[in-house]
């Protein structure tokens, strides 16, 4: 998301100099908008009255059955639906797990930078503008593709992430879950000036105040609420990472579950995952913090089960956020054959842990030829018996496990409830070298009176600016010490 510009301001008020400044700040990802994009993405017309003047594109895997899930994926500023289709990785999992994807597209006719109007109440409210157009696309998909109205999800990057948050708030009866990458809390801004304040992270509200913005978006709605994933890079200087904290506060408050984590673990790409469970023990809000990542959608090109996307402008090679978001929503449970055969194994439990291993046991399932054990959403083993020991893990690391019974043909049944296990010992230290400004923005240091001090140790780091660089060592989590003379990770 680059500095947001309202279409009215751009069309009637903005000066040539101001527009030139905005253009200089941008790295435009692309402007082509074909009627039929490459690789199976098709433009759809006539999906409704379209009050927000959006374009609808869709990817529907061949032979998709009725009652399959639906994902709505919103691009960022300067991007197109085809950019997001190509870079995000959603088509891969639509094919593998069986669901349709709608890619709404806004254009320069709405906003000079092709940003969704997350900051404009005329575009982001229930029954209004662009938000209403997206809701019409969902209804069209339910009617045309037979999509399951109980399994509709929305995701977005940057301005698309801000609009995704607004849609979750305005249409909680439509969306079962959402994922917001480098985005903003729902209804954070109602003007261009407010949008800039939101992006910089200077809007400070309590969790209850953030939650009230959701509750006020659809007065009288009492739930159920969407389950929300939040992705944010610690080195994002376009959308400050304070917005990820605000999003967490907003949605945990809506769920009434507080801001104390249920579990914290590590994933590839220097990713820290923090989970907040609902009263039943099921994850309701999950945050993914990527150390050192800038502004963009995390992707991980490659053929692996948990790899996806194409690296490029605002598609950053770190981790496949699409894969982990889909697992969080349970889209992997909709794989053809999944849930239609053997029942879910019961009694999954952690039998023991060491510094580098986790031992699991579960109750045997009648008719099972083997079992699929998954760690953090990726299958890691297929033991024949009802137990397994996962080895080679990092000390002090937390992992989430599920088990699925397989019949003689290898067809999976329904996955078990998840359990989380943490290995013994301490997590290895991490080292960060950056400017004092970047350390403060990333939450590794704080500023007082123009000077910077490391979080935890309080080590003095000098002036708060981009000209002083230091190395900080993190151990334990959240405790930083100055390590310019050497930092053993």
């Amino acid at each position: 998301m680059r500095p947001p510009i309202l279409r009215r301001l751009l069309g009637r008020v903005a000066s040539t100099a101001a527009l030139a400044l905005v253009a200089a700040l941008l790295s435009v990802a692309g402007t082509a908008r074909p009627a039929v994009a490459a690789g199976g993405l098709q433009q759809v017309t006539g999906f409704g009255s379209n009050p927000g003047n959006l374009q609808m594109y869709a990817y529907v895997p061949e032979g998709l059955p009725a009652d399959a899930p639906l994902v709505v994926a919103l691009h960022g500023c300067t991007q197109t639906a085809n950019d997001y289709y190509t870079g995000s990785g959603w088509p891969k999992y639509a094919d593998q797990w069986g669901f349709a994807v709608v890619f709404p597209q806004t254009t320069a006719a709405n906003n000079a930078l092709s940003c969704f109007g997350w900051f404009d109440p005329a575009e982001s409210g229930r029954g209004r503008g662009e938000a209403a157009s997206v809701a019409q696309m969902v209804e069209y998909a339910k009617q045309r593709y037979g999509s399951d109205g109980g399994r509709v999800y929305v995701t977005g990057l940057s301005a698309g992430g801000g609009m995704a948050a607004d849609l979750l708030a305005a249409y909680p009866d439509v969306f079962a879950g959402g994922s917001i990458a480098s985005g903003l809390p729902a209804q954070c801004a109602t003007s261009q000036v407010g949008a800039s304040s939101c992006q910089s992270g200077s809007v400070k509200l309590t969790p209850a105040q953030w939650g009230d913005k959701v509750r006020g978006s659809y007065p009288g709605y009492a739930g159920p609420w969407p389950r929300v994933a939040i992705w944010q890079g610690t080195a994002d200087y376009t959308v400050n990472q304070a917005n990820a904290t605000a999003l967490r506060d907003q949605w945990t408050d809506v769920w009434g579950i507080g801001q104390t984590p249920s579990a914290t673990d590590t994933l590839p790409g220097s990713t820290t995952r923090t989970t907040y469970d609902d009263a039943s023990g099921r994850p309701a809000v999950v945050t993914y913090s990527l150390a050192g990542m800038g502004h963009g959608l995390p992707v991980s090109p490659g053929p692996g089960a948990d790899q996806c996307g194409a690296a490029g402008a605002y598609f950053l090679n770190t981790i496949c956020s699409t894969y982990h978001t889909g697992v969080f929503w349970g889209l992997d449970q909709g794989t053809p054959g999944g849930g239609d055969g053997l029942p879910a194994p019961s009694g999954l439990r952690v039998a023991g842990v060491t510094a580098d291993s986790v031992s699991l046991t579960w109750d045997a399932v009648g008719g099972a030829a083997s079992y699929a054990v998954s760690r953090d959403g990726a299958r890691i083993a297929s033991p024949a018996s009802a137990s397994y020991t996962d080895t080679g893990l990092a000390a002090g690391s937390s992992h989430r496990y599920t088990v699925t019974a397989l019949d003689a043909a290898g067809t999976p049944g329904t996955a078990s409830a998840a359990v989380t296990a943490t290995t013994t010992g301490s997590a290895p230290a991490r080292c960060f070298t950056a400017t004092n400004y970047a350390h403060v923005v990333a939450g590794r240091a704080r500023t007082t009176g123009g000077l910077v001090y490391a979080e935890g140790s309080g080590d003095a780091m000098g002036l708060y600016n981009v000209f002083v660089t230091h190395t900080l060592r993190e151990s334990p989590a959240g405790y930083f010490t100055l390590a310019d003379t050497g930092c053993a990770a």
Side-chain angles (χ1 to χ4, degrees), residues 218-247:
Y218 186 16
Y221 182 76
W225 295 104
R227 299 182 185 273
V228 182
I230 301 158
W231 294 84
Q232 180 72 42
T234 64
D236 187 339
Y237 305 127
T238 300
V239 174
N240 188 283
Q241 66 172 331
N243 287 287
T245 301
L247 278 161

Side-chain angles (χ1 to χ4, degrees), residues 92-93 96-97 267-268 299-309 318-324 327 375-379:
K92 171 179 178 175
Y93 297 107
Q96 290 187 5
W97 294 341
L267 297 175
V299 298
S300 179
D306 59 352
Q307 291 183 292
C308 72
T318 49
I319 183 175
C320 176
S321 58
T322 296
Y323 170 81
H324 290 279
V327 170
R375 181 212 311 137
D376 300 326
R379 183 183 294 191

Side-chain angles (χ1 to χ4, degrees), residues 45-477:
T45 59
F47 58 85
S49 60
N50 192 17
N53 190 36
L54 298 182
Q55 296 174 0
M56 176 180 177
Y57 290 83
Y59 177 69
V60 183
E62 185 176 353
L64 186 71
D67 296 323
L70 174 69
V71 172
V72 177
L74 300 162
H75 63 76
C77 294
T78 76
Q79 293 181 325
T80 66
N82 193 41
D83 291 331
Y84 216 63
Y85 168 85
T86 302
S88 66
W90 280 109
K92 171 179 178 175
Y93 297 107
D95 288 336
Q96 290 187 5
W97 294 341
F99 57 87
V101 190
V102 165
F103 294 88
Q105 179 174 282
T106 189
T107 68
N110 282 10
N111 178 283
L113 306 179
S114 296
C115 304
F116 288 101
W118 62 272
F119 46 83
D120 185 350
E123 303 294 349
S124 62
R126 186 179 178 92
R128 299 179 182 178
E130 294 176 352
S133 290
V134 173
Q136 290 179 353
M137 295 179 196
V138 171
E139 188 59 33
Y140 177 93
K142 288 162 60 178
Q143 298 298 322
R144 180 68 177 84
Y145 312 135
S147 299
D148 182 353
R151 292 189 293 167
V152 179
Y153 306 89
V154 62
T155 181
L157 164 65
S158 196
M163 181 59 81
D166 289 338
L167 285 164
L168 292 170
Y171 293 97
D173 53 332
V174 172
F175 298 103
S179 180
I180 301 157
S182 298
L184 294 304
Q187 296 302 320
C188 182
T190 57
S191 68
Q192 181 190 351
V193 173
S196 297
S197 297
C198 288
Q199 286 180 231
S200 68
S202 60
V203 178
K204 307 297 183 183
L205 299 178
T206 66
Q209 289 171 325
W210 282 121
D212 285 344
K213 288 183 175 292
V214 173
R215 289 181 283 267
S217 297
Y218 186 16
Y221 182 76
W225 295 104
R227 299 182 185 273
V228 182
I230 301 158
W231 294 84
Q232 180 72 42
T234 64
D236 187 339
Y237 305 127
T238 300
V239 174
N240 188 283
Q241 66 172 331
N243 287 287
T245 301
L247 278 161
R248 180 217 50 192
D249 290 351
Q250 183 171 64
W251 290 100
T252 53
D253 181 78
V254 168
W255 274 87
I257 56 179
Q259 290 76 52
T260 300
S262 304
T264 300
D265 58 354
T266 57
L267 297 175
S270 299
T271 305
T272 299
R273 175 173 59 186
T274 305
T275 304
Y276 302 83
D277 291 345
D278 64 15
S280 70
R282 182 182 174 194
V285 178
V286 180
T287 65
Y288 302 83
S289 177
L290 288 87
M293 191 188 83
H295 186 69
L297 181 75
V299 298
S300 179
D306 59 352
Q307 291 183 292
C308 72
Y314 311 123
F315 296 105
L316 307 181
N317 190 354
T318 49
I319 183 175
C320 176
S321 58
T322 296
Y323 170 81
H324 290 279
T325 293
V327 170
F328 168 60
W329 289 338
L331 293 178
D332 58 327
Q333 301 302 314
T335 303
D340 297 328
L342 297 173
S346 60
L348 177 61
R349 52 201 174 273
V350 179
V353 295
T354 68
D356 65 354
S357 69
V358 171
S359 296
L360 304 169
T361 62
W362 57 91
D363 298 335
V365 174
S370 62
Y371 301 89
V373 178
S374 294
R375 181 212 311 137
D376 300 326
R379 183 183 294 191
I380 58 172
S382 299
S385 62
S387 64
Y388 177 72
T389 298
D390 187 17
T391 60
L393 304 173
S397 61
S398 295
H399 303 279
R400 182 171 177 265
Y401 294 90
T402 59
V403 176
T404 305
L406 308 177
D407 63 19
T411 303
T414 301
S416 70
V419 297
T420 299
T422 302
T423 56
T424 59
S426 300
R430 296 193 296 172
C431 301
F432 304 87
T433 300
T435 67
N436 277 357
Y437 173 80
H439 280 308
V440 171
V441 170
R444 297 186 289 266
R446 64 184 185 276
T447 180
T448 302
L451 298 176
V452 176
Y453 301 89
E455 287 288 1
S457 69
D459 289 347
M461 300 169 60
L463 294 173
Y464 177 48
N465 58 39
V466 296
F467 304 107
V468 178
T469 296
H470 284 297
T471 297
L472 293 179
R473 182 177 188 270
E474 182 184 20
S475 182

